[in-house]
Amino acid sequence: MQDFSFPAPPTAPDTAELRAEVRAFLAAELAGYPAAKRIRSWSGFDAEFSRKLGQRGWIGMAWPKQYGGHERSALERYVVLEELLAAGAPVAAHWIADRQSGPLLLKVGTEEQKRSILPRIAAGEFFFCIGMSEPDSGSDLAAVRTRAVPVEGGWRVNGTKLWTTYAHHAHAMILYCRTGAADDRHGGTSQFLVDLTLPGITIRPIADLSGARHFNEVVFEDVLLPHSALIGQEGDGWNQVMSELAYERSGPERFMSTFVLFVELVRALGSQMTPDAAGALGRLGVHLVVLRRLSRSVAGMLQDGRNPALQASVVKDLGALVEQEIPEIARQLMAMEPDLRSHDALSAVLGYSILNAPAFSLRGGTREILRGIIARGLGLR
């Protein structure tokens, strides 16, 4: 088995002032914002809130100023992210663009792509969705069947993407598709920058277990993309997308999806907390602290230009376990009926968490896919 490690997170400038600034902003913006909405957090869509974050300089924080960024450190960005998530702020509008689409363009995009797209992301005015998962292959990206064929003037795309979060509100998609031989599972794929208003693109919302409609099916029928839509090198899509997924799988959102429930549970138990309840909550708290340490380590590796795909997969897999365990612990400790429509904060956030917890180990790569990546990274398969 190969060794791997989580290096100590890099030292950061004093972030106390930044953290206080973010908390003051959130206290004002989210005053009266109910727990039933806070639990949606990075699934909560509010374009105006994202625009306000852009005005504060809290999107694209670590990007070069020439592309609309603010040249802050990765750990300063991390401070903002975890404060937003802890407060249950509605960040879904800009989340994908800030987390992975922008960094991918910054790394391998053309100068035209960087100058035309990145400043608008940083302003909180341009939103992205992810074009990876497909029907019948799910998050097994080596099995994608959507294909781009070279034609005069560019590329013609046909295929279907699935579970595409907020595609119906996004301005653009980074499409991962096949451009080479179908029998070359890890080769012959490329990524494209797709304007979602192009003719031939159909976006159909899909309801989840709770009835919410943030997922979509996106169908491409003879969609013509210009040559300038290609991101990075033709045929290098697998390497690029693996690098991109390190951003998607390692952030604090991967273990804080039910943090608002954790807070409401502690508040509800209050002075009536039993030793067993204190032990259960203490154990969850330790898990969260360890995951935070691992996640900040990955942020440091990304800042150094490394590709911590293995470590990011470990964070995602362990984080989903904790996110799914918090609702189960809550049910064991509190005798109450989970109800999305309840006026009781704990009942409402518990209801939302139970309905959405099964997706935590599906989105961003299923548990089986992640463990395959980890096994391969450790030289076990």
Side-chain angles (χ1 to χ4, degrees), residues 261 264-270 272-273 277 281 327-338 344 346-347 350:
L261 171 59
E264 291 300 325
L265 181 58
V266 172
R267 181 177 291 129
L269 287 166
Q272 306 302 315
M273 192 167 306
L281 294 179
E328 295 306 315
I329 296 295
R331 295 185 74 176
Q332 294 171 18
L333 296 179
M334 299 295 294
M336 68 164 26
E337 191 69 23
D344 180 86
L346 181 57
S347 175
L350 181 58

PDB file of all heavy atoms in Angstrom, residues 261 264-270 272-273 277 281 327-338 344 346-347 350:
ATOM      1  N   LEU A 261     -28.666  21.419  11.956  1.00  0.00           N
ATOM      2  CA  LEU A 261     -29.387  20.456  12.794  1.00  0.00           C
ATOM      3  C   LEU A 261     -28.599  20.188  14.074  1.00  0.00           C
ATOM      4  O   LEU A 261     -29.186  20.111  15.166  1.00  0.00           O
ATOM      5  CB  LEU A 261     -29.600  19.153  12.018  1.00  0.00           C
ATOM      6  CG  LEU A 261     -30.144  17.968  12.822  1.00  0.00           C
ATOM      7  CD1 LEU A 261     -31.491  18.320  13.454  1.00  0.00           C
ATOM      8  CD2 LEU A 261     -30.266  16.734  11.928  1.00  0.00           C
ATOM      9  N   GLU A 264     -29.231  23.115  16.335  1.00  0.00           N
ATOM     10  CA  GLU A 264     -30.592  23.104  16.888  1.00  0.00           C
ATOM     11  C   GLU A 264     -30.760  21.997  17.919  1.00  0.00           C
ATOM     12  O   GLU A 264     -31.493  22.147  18.896  1.00  0.00           O
ATOM     13  CB  GLU A 264     -31.613  22.937  15.760  1.00  0.00           C
ATOM     14  CG  GLU A 264     -31.720  24.149  14.848  1.00  0.00           C
ATOM     15  CD  GLU A 264     -32.142  25.413  15.586  1.00  0.00           C
ATOM     16  OE1 GLU A 264     -32.943  25.308  16.530  1.00  0.00           O
ATOM     17  OE2 GLU A 264     -31.643  26.504  15.234  1.00  0.00           O
ATOM     18  N   LEU A 265     -30.068  20.884  17.713  1.00  0.00           N
ATOM     19  CA  LEU A 265     -30.144  19.773  18.659  1.00  0.00           C
ATOM     20  C   LEU A 265     -29.506  20.151  19.995  1.00  0.00           C
ATOM     21  O   LEU A 265     -30.080  19.897  21.064  1.00  0.00           O
ATOM     22  CB  LEU A 265     -29.442  18.545  18.058  1.00  0.00           C
ATOM     23  CG  LEU A 265     -29.435  17.269  18.897  1.00  0.00           C
ATOM     24  CD1 LEU A 265     -30.849  16.818  19.223  1.00  0.00           C
ATOM     25  CD2 LEU A 265     -28.682  16.159  18.159  1.00  0.00           C
ATOM     26  N   VAL A 266     -28.342  20.769  19.934  1.00  0.00           N
ATOM     27  CA  VAL A 266     -27.681  21.229  21.164  1.00  0.00           C
ATOM     28  C   VAL A 266     -28.568  22.237  21.885  1.00  0.00           C
ATOM     29  O   VAL A 266     -28.737  22.196  23.110  1.00  0.00           O
ATOM     30  CB  VAL A 266     -26.304  21.854  20.838  1.00  0.00           C
ATOM     31  CG1 VAL A 266     -25.699  22.507  22.077  1.00  0.00           C
ATOM     32  CG2 VAL A 266     -25.366  20.802  20.274  1.00  0.00           C
ATOM     33  N   ARG A 267     -29.177  23.151  21.109  1.00  0.00           N
ATOM     34  CA  ARG A 267     -30.045  24.178  21.710  1.00  0.00           C
ATOM     35  C   ARG A 267     -31.264  23.532  22.370  1.00  0.00           C
ATOM     36  O   ARG A 267     -31.654  23.915  23.478  1.00  0.00           O
ATOM     37  CB  ARG A 267     -30.479  25.164  20.635  1.00  0.00           C
ATOM     38  CG  ARG A 267     -31.356  26.294  21.160  1.00  0.00           C
ATOM     39  CD  ARG A 267     -31.689  27.283  20.052  1.00  0.00           C
ATOM     40  NE  ARG A 267     -30.500  28.036  19.655  1.00  0.00           N
ATOM     41  CZ  ARG A 267     -30.082  28.170  18.413  1.00  0.00           C
ATOM     42  NH1 ARG A 267     -30.730  27.585  17.428  1.00  0.00           N
ATOM     43  NH2 ARG A 267     -29.003  28.881  18.125  1.00  0.00           N
ATOM     44  N   ALA A 268     -31.863  22.536  21.713  1.00  0.00           N
ATOM     45  CA  ALA A 268     -33.068  21.900  22.245  1.00  0.00           C
ATOM     46  C   ALA A 268     -32.769  21.101  23.517  1.00  0.00           C
ATOM     47  O   ALA A 268     -33.569  21.082  24.448  1.00  0.00           O
ATOM     48  CB  ALA A 268     -33.684  20.991  21.184  1.00  0.00           C
ATOM     49  N   LEU A 269     -31.614  20.443  23.554  1.00  0.00           N
ATOM     50  CA  LEU A 269     -31.271  19.656  24.734  1.00  0.00           C
ATOM     51  C   LEU A 269     -30.948  20.569  25.912  1.00  0.00           C
ATOM     52  O   LEU A 269     -31.313  20.271  27.056  1.00  0.00           O
ATOM     53  CB  LEU A 269     -30.089  18.729  24.418  1.00  0.00           C
ATOM     54  CG  LEU A 269     -30.435  17.536  23.508  1.00  0.00           C
ATOM     55  CD1 LEU A 269     -29.176  16.880  22.988  1.00  0.00           C
ATOM     56  CD2 LEU A 269     -31.295  16.527  24.265  1.00  0.00           C
ATOM     57  N   GLY A 270     -30.261  21.655  25.631  1.00  0.00           N
ATOM     58  CA  GLY A 270     -29.992  22.664  26.635  1.00  0.00           C
ATOM     59  C   GLY A 270     -29.545  22.111  27.969  1.00  0.00           C
ATOM     60  O   GLY A 270     -28.661  21.246  28.045  1.00  0.00           O
ATOM     61  N   GLN A 272     -31.104  20.197  29.849  1.00  0.00           N
ATOM     62  CA  GLN A 272     -31.629  18.853  30.120  1.00  0.00           C
ATOM     63  C   GLN A 272     -30.725  17.767  29.542  1.00  0.00           C
ATOM     64  O   GLN A 272     -31.116  16.602  29.496  1.00  0.00           O
ATOM     65  CB  GLN A 272     -33.035  18.719  29.512  1.00  0.00           C
ATOM     66  CG  GLN A 272     -34.010  19.788  29.943  1.00  0.00           C
ATOM     67  CD  GLN A 272     -34.194  19.828  31.448  1.00  0.00           C
ATOM     68  OE1 GLN A 272     -34.351  18.801  32.101  1.00  0.00           O
ATOM     69  NE2 GLN A 272     -34.149  21.033  32.015  1.00  0.00           N
ATOM     70  N   MET A 273     -29.567  18.134  29.107  1.00  0.00           N
ATOM     71  CA  MET A 273     -28.697  17.177  28.428  1.00  0.00           C
ATOM     72  C   MET A 273     -28.239  16.068  29.393  1.00  0.00           C
ATOM     73  O   MET A 273     -27.724  16.337  30.465  1.00  0.00           O
ATOM     74  CB  MET A 273     -27.473  17.891  27.850  1.00  0.00           C
ATOM     75  CG  MET A 273     -26.698  16.993  26.900  1.00  0.00           C
ATOM     76  SD  MET A 273     -25.475  17.863  25.924  1.00  0.00           S
ATOM     77  CE  MET A 273     -26.344  19.170  25.144  1.00  0.00           C
ATOM     78  N   ALA A 277     -26.412  11.826  26.040  1.00  0.00           N
ATOM     79  CA  ALA A 277     -26.542  12.824  24.974  1.00  0.00           C
ATOM     80  C   ALA A 277     -25.252  13.629  24.843  1.00  0.00           C
ATOM     81  O   ALA A 277     -24.780  13.895  23.720  1.00  0.00           O
ATOM     82  CB  ALA A 277     -27.719  13.755  25.269  1.00  0.00           C
ATOM     83  N   LEU A 281     -23.064  13.851  21.393  1.00  0.00           N
ATOM     84  CA  LEU A 281     -22.768  15.134  20.750  1.00  0.00           C
ATOM     85  C   LEU A 281     -21.266  15.431  20.778  1.00  0.00           C
ATOM     86  O   LEU A 281     -20.714  15.996  19.829  1.00  0.00           O
ATOM     87  CB  LEU A 281     -23.547  16.252  21.439  1.00  0.00           C
ATOM     88  CG  LEU A 281     -25.068  16.182  21.292  1.00  0.00           C
ATOM     89  CD1 LEU A 281     -25.732  17.335  22.028  1.00  0.00           C
ATOM     90  CD2 LEU A 281     -25.479  16.205  19.824  1.00  0.00           C
ATOM     91  N   PRO A 327     -28.505  13.289  11.701  1.00  0.00           N
ATOM     92  CA  PRO A 327     -29.956  13.092  11.837  1.00  0.00           C
ATOM     93  C   PRO A 327     -30.309  11.827  12.617  1.00  0.00           C
ATOM     94  O   PRO A 327     -31.308  11.825  13.354  1.00  0.00           O
ATOM     95  CB  PRO A 327     -30.432  12.986  10.384  1.00  0.00           C
ATOM     96  CG  PRO A 327     -29.370  13.615   9.568  1.00  0.00           C
ATOM     97  CD  PRO A 327     -28.095  13.387  10.297  1.00  0.00           C
ATOM     98  N   GLU A 328     -29.515  10.773  12.472  1.00  0.00           N
ATOM     99  CA  GLU A 328     -29.813   9.535  13.202  1.00  0.00           C
ATOM    100  C   GLU A 328     -29.614   9.733  14.705  1.00  0.00           C
ATOM    101  O   GLU A 328     -30.411   9.255  15.520  1.00  0.00           O
ATOM    102  CB  GLU A 328     -28.913   8.409  12.677  1.00  0.00           C
ATOM    103  CG  GLU A 328     -29.182   8.026  11.235  1.00  0.00           C
ATOM    104  CD  GLU A 328     -30.649   7.681  11.001  1.00  0.00           C
ATOM    105  OE1 GLU A 328     -31.217   6.946  11.824  1.00  0.00           O
ATOM    106  OE2 GLU A 328     -31.225   8.168  10.014  1.00  0.00           O
ATOM    107  N   ILE A 329     -28.562  10.421  15.080  1.00  0.00           N
ATOM    108  CA  ILE A 329     -28.332  10.707  16.501  1.00  0.00           C
ATOM    109  C   ILE A 329     -29.460  11.586  17.047  1.00  0.00           C
ATOM    110  O   ILE A 329     -29.956  11.386  18.171  1.00  0.00           O
ATOM    111  CB  ILE A 329     -26.968  11.410  16.692  1.00  0.00           C
ATOM    112  CG1 ILE A 329     -25.825  10.476  16.286  1.00  0.00           C
ATOM    113  CG2 ILE A 329     -26.790  11.874  18.136  1.00  0.00           C
ATOM    114  CD1 ILE A 329     -25.685   9.244  17.142  1.00  0.00           C
ATOM    115  N   ALA A 330     -29.882  12.569  16.235  1.00  0.00           N
ATOM    116  CA  ALA A 330     -30.965  13.461  16.670  1.00  0.00           C
ATOM    117  C   ALA A 330     -32.245  12.672  16.941  1.00  0.00           C
ATOM    118  O   ALA A 330     -32.955  12.924  17.914  1.00  0.00           O
ATOM    119  CB  ALA A 330     -31.216  14.528  15.601  1.00  0.00           C
ATOM    120  N   ARG A 331     -32.542  11.714  16.078  1.00  0.00           N
ATOM    121  CA  ARG A 331     -33.758  10.901  16.272  1.00  0.00           C
ATOM    122  C   ARG A 331     -33.660  10.049  17.532  1.00  0.00           C
ATOM    123  O   ARG A 331     -34.658   9.791  18.194  1.00  0.00           O
ATOM    124  CB  ARG A 331     -33.988  10.015  15.052  1.00  0.00           C
ATOM    125  CG  ARG A 331     -34.280  10.779  13.786  1.00  0.00           C
ATOM    126  CD  ARG A 331     -34.612   9.887  12.643  1.00  0.00           C
ATOM    127  NE  ARG A 331     -35.954   9.312  12.772  1.00  0.00           N
ATOM    128  CZ  ARG A 331     -36.513   8.542  11.850  1.00  0.00           C
ATOM    129  NH1 ARG A 331     -35.859   8.254  10.739  1.00  0.00           N
ATOM    130  NH2 ARG A 331     -37.731   8.061  12.029  1.00  0.00           N
ATOM    131  N   GLN A 332     -32.450   9.592  17.842  1.00  0.00           N
ATOM    132  CA  GLN A 332     -32.281   8.781  19.045  1.00  0.00           C
ATOM    133  C   GLN A 332     -32.419   9.612  20.321  1.00  0.00           C
ATOM    134  O   GLN A 332     -32.898   9.118  21.352  1.00  0.00           O
ATOM    135  CB  GLN A 332     -30.909   8.092  19.011  1.00  0.00           C
ATOM    136  CG  GLN A 332     -30.750   7.055  17.913  1.00  0.00           C
ATOM    137  CD  GLN A 332     -29.317   6.579  17.783  1.00  0.00           C
ATOM    138  OE1 GLN A 332     -28.515   6.749  18.691  1.00  0.00           O
ATOM    139  NE2 GLN A 332     -28.985   5.991  16.644  1.00  0.00           N
ATOM    140  N   LEU A 333     -32.005  10.874  20.251  1.00  0.00           N
ATOM    141  CA  LEU A 333     -31.974  11.704  21.457  1.00  0.00           C
ATOM    142  C   LEU A 333     -33.271  12.469  21.702  1.00  0.00           C
ATOM    143  O   LEU A 333     -33.553  12.856  22.841  1.00  0.00           O
ATOM    144  CB  LEU A 333     -30.811  12.704  21.370  1.00  0.00           C
ATOM    145  CG  LEU A 333     -29.399  12.102  21.326  1.00  0.00           C
ATOM    146  CD1 LEU A 333     -28.357  13.204  21.216  1.00  0.00           C
ATOM    147  CD2 LEU A 333     -29.137  11.249  22.565  1.00  0.00           C
ATOM    148  N   MET A 334     -34.043  12.714  20.657  1.00  0.00           N
ATOM    149  CA  MET A 334     -35.239  13.544  20.802  1.00  0.00           C
ATOM    150  C   MET A 334     -36.469  12.768  20.346  1.00  0.00           C
ATOM    151  O   MET A 334     -36.518  12.263  19.223  1.00  0.00           O
ATOM    152  CB  MET A 334     -35.104  14.829  19.967  1.00  0.00           C
ATOM    153  CG  MET A 334     -33.951  15.723  20.362  1.00  0.00           C
ATOM    154  SD  MET A 334     -34.109  16.426  22.028  1.00  0.00           S
ATOM    155  CE  MET A 334     -35.522  17.482  21.822  1.00  0.00           C
ATOM    156  N   ALA A 335     -37.481  12.718  21.191  1.00  0.00           N
ATOM    157  CA  ALA A 335     -38.733  12.058  20.832  1.00  0.00           C
ATOM    158  C   ALA A 335     -39.628  13.084  20.146  1.00  0.00           C
ATOM    159  O   ALA A 335     -40.431  13.772  20.785  1.00  0.00           O
ATOM    160  CB  ALA A 335     -39.402  11.493  22.082  1.00  0.00           C
ATOM    161  N   MET A 336     -39.477  13.214  18.843  1.00  0.00           N
ATOM    162  CA  MET A 336     -40.305  14.165  18.100  1.00  0.00           C
ATOM    163  C   MET A 336     -40.487  13.687  16.659  1.00  0.00           C
ATOM    164  O   MET A 336     -39.699  12.901  16.142  1.00  0.00           O
ATOM    165  CB  MET A 336     -39.690  15.561  18.115  1.00  0.00           C
ATOM    166  CG  MET A 336     -38.402  15.687  17.351  1.00  0.00           C
ATOM    167  SD  MET A 336     -37.939  17.392  16.993  1.00  0.00           S
ATOM    168  CE  MET A 336     -38.705  18.315  18.268  1.00  0.00           C
ATOM    169  N   GLU A 337     -41.537  14.190  16.035  1.00  0.00           N
ATOM    170  CA  GLU A 337     -41.844  13.815  14.658  1.00  0.00           C
ATOM    171  C   GLU A 337     -41.134  14.783  13.699  1.00  0.00           C
ATOM    172  O   GLU A 337     -41.345  15.999  13.790  1.00  0.00           O
ATOM    173  CB  GLU A 337     -43.349  13.899  14.424  1.00  0.00           C
ATOM    174  CG  GLU A 337     -43.817  13.289  13.125  1.00  0.00           C
ATOM    175  CD  GLU A 337     -43.697  11.776  13.102  1.00  0.00           C
ATOM    176  OE1 GLU A 337     -43.679  11.169  14.208  1.00  0.00           O
ATOM    177  OE2 GLU A 337     -43.627  11.214  12.013  1.00  0.00           O
ATOM    178  N   PRO A 338     -40.303  14.256  12.794  1.00  0.00           N
ATOM    179  CA  PRO A 338     -39.699  15.156  11.797  1.00  0.00           C
ATOM    180  C   PRO A 338     -40.776  15.676  10.853  1.00  0.00           C
ATOM    181  O   PRO A 338     -41.589  14.884  10.365  1.00  0.00           O
ATOM    182  CB  PRO A 338     -38.723  14.241  11.042  1.00  0.00           C
ATOM    183  CG  PRO A 338     -38.663  12.973  11.803  1.00  0.00           C
ATOM    184  CD  PRO A 338     -39.895  12.866  12.624  1.00  0.00           C
ATOM    185  N   ASP A 344     -41.869  24.238  14.609  1.00  0.00           N
ATOM    186  CA  ASP A 344     -40.782  23.962  15.546  1.00  0.00           C
ATOM    187  C   ASP A 344     -39.476  23.807  14.752  1.00  0.00           C
ATOM    188  O   ASP A 344     -39.392  22.991  13.823  1.00  0.00           O
ATOM    189  CB  ASP A 344     -41.074  22.660  16.308  1.00  0.00           C
ATOM    190  CG  ASP A 344     -39.960  22.331  17.291  1.00  0.00           C
ATOM    191  OD1 ASP A 344     -40.005  22.840  18.412  1.00  0.00           O
ATOM    192  OD2 ASP A 344     -39.034  21.584  16.890  1.00  0.00           O
ATOM    193  N   LEU A 346     -36.474  22.544  15.363  1.00  0.00           N
ATOM    194  CA  LEU A 346     -35.794  21.252  15.344  1.00  0.00           C
ATOM    195  C   LEU A 346     -36.555  20.233  14.501  1.00  0.00           C
ATOM    196  O   LEU A 346     -35.959  19.481  13.726  1.00  0.00           O
ATOM    197  CB  LEU A 346     -35.601  20.736  16.771  1.00  0.00           C
ATOM    198  CG  LEU A 346     -34.883  19.388  16.887  1.00  0.00           C
ATOM    199  CD1 LEU A 346     -33.516  19.441  16.232  1.00  0.00           C
ATOM    200  CD2 LEU A 346     -34.752  18.970  18.353  1.00  0.00           C
ATOM    201  N   SER A 347     -37.867  20.209  14.640  1.00  0.00           N
ATOM    202  CA  SER A 347     -38.678  19.276  13.850  1.00  0.00           C
ATOM    203  C   SER A 347     -38.520  19.548  12.351  1.00  0.00           C
ATOM    204  O   SER A 347     -38.391  18.621  11.547  1.00  0.00           O
ATOM    205  CB  SER A 347     -40.150  19.401  14.247  1.00  0.00           C
ATOM    206  OG  SER A 347     -40.950  18.584  13.423  1.00  0.00           O
ATOM    207  N   LEU A 350     -34.937  18.665  11.153  1.00  0.00           N
ATOM    208  CA  LEU A 350     -34.777  17.209  11.173  1.00  0.00           C
ATOM    209  C   LEU A 350     -35.501  16.581   9.984  1.00  0.00           C
ATOM    210  O   LEU A 350     -34.977  15.671   9.329  1.00  0.00           O
ATOM    211  CB  LEU A 350     -35.301  16.638  12.492  1.00  0.00           C
ATOM    212  CG  LEU A 350     -35.169  15.126  12.678  1.00  0.00           C
ATOM    213  CD1 LEU A 350     -33.716  14.674  12.566  1.00  0.00           C
ATOM    214  CD2 LEU A 350     -35.742  14.690  14.032  1.00  0.00           C
TER     215      LEU A 350
END
